[in-house]
Amino acid sequence: MKHVLQFALIAIAVAGSALAPASASATAPELDFAKYPAVNAKRYVSYNYDNNGRAFFRAGGYYCSIGQYPGRVACKGFVATAPAGTQGVLLNNSQGPWWITPGGLAAPNIDLVPNAHFRAPVLPVKRSINIYDVTCARPRTHVVSCTSRGRAFVISPKWHKFVGPADVRNPNPPADKLPKSLR
């Protein structure tokens, strides 16, 4: 009887594990910031007064700025799925992500490059930077992803993906234009 009971418990455990999804909550590699070791953020901060203590990095054709305010990150560069005239993308702790266009809401208030001389270091591939409530990573050569308090963006020259609550103003491209991991 003891062996029958053990066999029944093993059968239930095996059946239960077969019904559970293998990776229902798997995070896309572009948004799995924990898998990318962080660089020394101090190298990326401009201490020039005109740059207001912002950090800057270059990655795969993008020039990114972190800071001036906690949780704020903006990247300048081309994204094929962005609206015409787009200069970059912006995200902060409580708003975005959204596109920065010459006539847009953030355009007069956002500096996408340093105001004073600062040679921004290149963020290496498969590395991240954590500073001012922001984490950015470079999962692949031409891909940049950034997050701040549950909001995120991933950009590449061919596509973009915005992650945030329902009030995110700018839509994502159709799923067939995204890599499989972000659909």
Side-chain angles (χ1 to χ4, degrees):
M1 179 72 163
K2 184 177 179 183
H3 294 290
V4 172
L5 185 57
Q6 284 177 335
F7 179 73
L9 289 174
I10 291 171
I12 291 170
V14 169
S17 66
L19 295 175
S23 60
S25 63
T27 303
E30 296 86 357
L31 296 169
D32 188 1
F33 297 96
K35 80 187 273 188
Y36 304 110
V39 296
N40 180 358
K42 290 178 183 177
R43 285 190 54 230
Y44 296 80
V45 175
S46 170
Y47 295 102
N48 187 308
Y49 180 80
D50 292 334
N51 291 329
N52 295 319
R54 290 180 294 152
F56 299 93
F57 69 89
R58 294 176 291 137
Y62 296 102
Y63 204 107
C64 298
S65 165
I66 300 173
Q68 184 173 3
Y69 305 106
R72 186 181 216 181
V73 58
C75 291
K76 178 181 182 175
F78 176 78
V79 178
T81 53
T86 295
Q87 297 172 323
V89 62
L90 172 68
L91 169 70
N92 67 36
N93 280 344
S94 59
Q95 297 175 328
W98 63 75
W99 297 116
I100 301 169
T101 58
L105 179 66
N109 301 326
I110 187 76
D111 293 319
L112 295 171
V113 295
N115 291 327
H117 177 72
F118 179 74
R119 183 152 174 83
V122 172
L123 182 64
V125 176
K126 304 250 185 235
R127 298 298 300 268
S128 67
I129 182 170
N130 303 312
I131 191 166
Y132 305 137
D133 294 342
V134 171
T135 301
C136 290
R138 189 171 177 199
R140 294 187 298 281
T141 304
H142 297 290
V143 177
V144 174
S145 51
C146 295
T147 187
S148 181
R149 294 192 184 174
R151 297 169 184 267
F153 65 80
V154 184
I155 53 175
S156 86
K158 296 181 181 180
W159 49 264
H160 77 279
K161 173 75 173 187
F162 288 167
V163 178
D167 70 341
V168 172
R169 296 180 190 148
N170 300 118
N172 287 311
D176 64 335
K177 294 194 182 248
L178 294 171
K180 288 182 182 181
S181 60
L182 291 171
R183 291 182 185 167

